[in-house]
Amino acid sequence: MYRGREGQWAFFLHRISGIALLLWLLLHTLNISSAMWGPAVSNRLMLFFHVPIFQVGLLLVTAAALYHSFNGLRIIIMDFTGWGIKYQRQLWYGVIALCVLVAVPGLILTVPRIIHAATHGGAQ
Amino acid sequence: MAIRARRYADAKAQASSNTELLWWVFMRVSGLVMVFLVLGHIYMNFVLIDVSTINYTYVAERLSNTTWKIYDWLILVLAMLHGMNGLRYVMDDWIRNPARRFATKAVVYSLAVLVVIVGSFSLFNHDFSKDLKQAAQTQGSVKP
């Protein structure tokens, strides 16, 4: 099915990012759902998730979402076009390039906010 | 047995059952839809605003809006089905012992059902607009 290193990495990263995203879906759904028990419960839970280390974790989850999205599109291209499998390696480098292209402005925007929240004990 | 094909024609030939082929198609269709839904969700709640400002009031205001209720529920259901089916492939690959595999699946699927129920209740069985109105009346504004 896969020959060569890139295909193996593409598959492995897709699987690991998928598991991470599923775990996030469970945590995030329960966390946001807690709003139905009122501000006392849900604000305390959300403050817990605003701890800087979780914000860094959130960046990793976002990276997982980007990679899983773009590599998923690569899989769809391989499945439904005649040329997709032939260029799977080039497509994978395209996936990585797209991730970096989106991640750089995203990090420039969000990292200062995280640092500000961490040093000032709250949002900007 | 999960399908390992890289083409629809191969997938059809390899599918052990119609259900398995249906899951193969579902993974592609739901994935394509979620690229837009989830990246849009991240853009609205992580890029446009500072996540550390998110509190009860923000969530309650968002969940008072029918558009976001439907949007969020679509993500919840599609992501849960997509994710749980993906995890089924992983469990079939990684857990060799049949008894242990069955037990793991039972626990994992039960957890999925529970989370979908809790999520759906918060979206459709709770009137956040009423909460916000009440809070505004009693204390002038909702405390963050």
Side-chain angles (χ1 to χ4, degrees), chain A residues 29-49:
Chain A
T29 305
L30 294 177
N31 178 27
I32 298 300
S33 296
S34 73
M36 67 178 157
W37 287 293
V41 178
S42 80
N43 274 333
R44 184 173 280 190
L45 260 176
M46 278 184 252
L47 274 180
F48 178 69
F49 277 94

Side-chain angles (χ1 to χ4, degrees), chain B residues 20-31:
Chain B
E20 205 56 70
L21 185 64
L22 215 67
W23 275 118
W24 188 89
V25 173
F26 173 79
M27 291 306 264
R28 272 100 195 131
V29 174
S30 62

Side-chain angles (χ1 to χ4, degrees), chain A:
Chain A
M1 174 182 27
Y2 285 121
R3 295 187 202 93
R5 294 175 60 86
E6 285 89 350
Q8 298 282 356
W9 275 108
F11 176 82
F12 180 72
L13 283 175
H14 200 74
R15 182 161 275 199
I16 293 299
S17 59
I19 294 170
L21 288 169
L22 182 58
L23 202 65
W24 168 253
L25 176 70
L26 301 178
L27 278 174
H28 180 64
T29 305
L30 294 177
N31 178 27
I32 298 300
S33 296
S34 73
M36 67 178 157
W37 287 293
V41 178
S42 80
N43 274 333
R44 184 173 280 190
L45 260 176
M46 278 184 252
L47 274 180
F48 178 69
F49 277 94
H50 288 162
V51 171
I53 187 81
F54 284 123
Q55 302 246 318
V56 175
L58 195 60
L59 288 177
L60 287 174
V61 171
T62 310
L66 287 177
Y67 177 78
H68 205 84
S69 296
F70 296 141
N71 194 54
L73 294 177
R74 168 178 165 270
I75 291 173
I76 292 173
I77 289 172
M78 294 197 301
D79 286 336
F80 294 104
T81 67
W83 50 269
I85 297 170
K86 199 174 156 201
Y87 295 106
Q88 65 92 6
R89 195 151 48 97
Q90 287 86 339
L91 281 170
W92 190 65
Y93 285 118
V95 167
I96 299 298
L98 258 179
C99 287
V100 173
L101 206 72
V102 178
V104 167
L107 286 170
I108 289 172
L109 200 67
T110 52
V111 168
R113 289 176 185 165
I114 294 171
I115 292 170
H116 187 273
T119 48
H120 293 73
Q124 258 171 330

Side-chain angles (χ1 to χ4, degrees), chain B residues 38-104:
Chain B
V38 173
L39 293 187
H41 177 82
I42 293 173
Y43 183 72
M44 284 184 282
N45 299 299
F46 194 24
V47 176
L48 286 184
I49 61 149
D50 182 347
V51 268
S52 47
T53 63
I54 290 178
N55 55 21
Y56 171 79
T57 313
Y58 179 83
V59 174
E61 270 167 10
R62 231 179 128 75
L63 296 189
S64 304
N65 187 327
T66 311
T67 308
W68 302 133
K69 284 185 195 212
I70 295 167
Y71 190 104
D72 288 358
W73 194 74
L74 259 178
I75 292 182
L76 174 63
V77 169
L78 287 178
M80 194 61 86
L81 288 171
H82 186 105
M84 281 297 155
N85 188 50
L87 191 60
R88 183 173 65 92
Y89 299 155
V90 176
M91 290 186 292
D92 283 339
D93 278 354
W94 287 356
I95 310 173
R96 309 301 299 180
N97 182 324
R100 195 172 294 169
R101 188 167 61 233
F102 177 79
T104 312

